[in-house]
Amino acid sequence: MREMTKEEIVVRTINTKQLALYFYTPLCGTCQVAGKMLNIVEKVIPQFEFGKADLNYMPEFAKQYSIESVPCLLIFQNGQLMDKIYGFQSVTYLHEVLNKY
C-alpha cells in the first residue's frame, strides 16, 4: 500500500474503478495493526487499488468525508464513497467487506 498525496487522492477517487483509501496516524497503535491487515488483503484482492494517507496532514479530507477517528478505510467505487470502516476486526472481515464491491 503506497502513501498518496492530496492531489493523488483527488485524482484516484475520481478515476479509479475501485479504491480503498486508508487513513491513519503514525502514533496510533491500532492503525499499525490495521495497516498490516490491509497489506495482506491488498495481495488477495487485486481488483482494488489501495492507498494510504496520514490524516494529520489532510484535515480537509477528515472534514469532507466526516472521518471521526483512525484507523479509517474509505471504499470508493466509480468515484462514489460506498463505505466507511472503522472496526478492522480481522483480515477475513476486511476481505468480505471489500468483496461486496
Side-chain angles (χ1 to χ4, degrees):
M1 195 170 20
R2 72 181 181 84
E3 196 78 29
M4 289 189 169
T5 64
K6 293 175 186 178
E7 295 78 19
E8 284 179 302
I9 291 172
V10 171
V11 170
R12 295 284 188 218
T13 301
I14 296 168
N15 296 327
T16 304
K17 185 175 180 183
Q18 293 179 304
L19 173 67
L21 187 55
Y22 170 58
F23 285 99
Y24 70 98
T25 59
L27 298 178
C28 167
T30 305
C31 295
Q32 301 302 319
V33 174
K36 289 176 184 177
M37 283 192 248
L38 283 171
N39 284 333
I40 295 167
V41 173
E42 179 180 23
K43 292 175 183 166
V44 296
I45 304 182
Q47 67 269 26
F48 266 88
E49 180 174 341
F50 287 80
K52 66 179 181 176
D54 183 342
L55 197 59
N56 289 325
Y57 298 109
M58 303 192 181
E60 63 277 10
F61 289 109
K63 185 175 181 179
Q64 179 179 353
Y65 295 113
S66 302
I67 297 173
E68 299 169 0
S69 66
V70 290
C72 180
L73 183 67
L74 301 181
I75 301 170
F76 293 90
Q77 191 170 31
N78 299 318
Q80 296 294 319
L81 178 62
M82 303 301 289
D83 207 349
K84 188 185 319 181
I85 299 170
Y86 293 107
F88 290 56
Q89 300 170 14
S90 67
V91 170
T92 304
Y93 171 76
L94 292 171
H95 184 268
E96 288 173 1
V97 169
L98 289 169
N99 269 329
K100 290 192 297 187
Y101 303 99

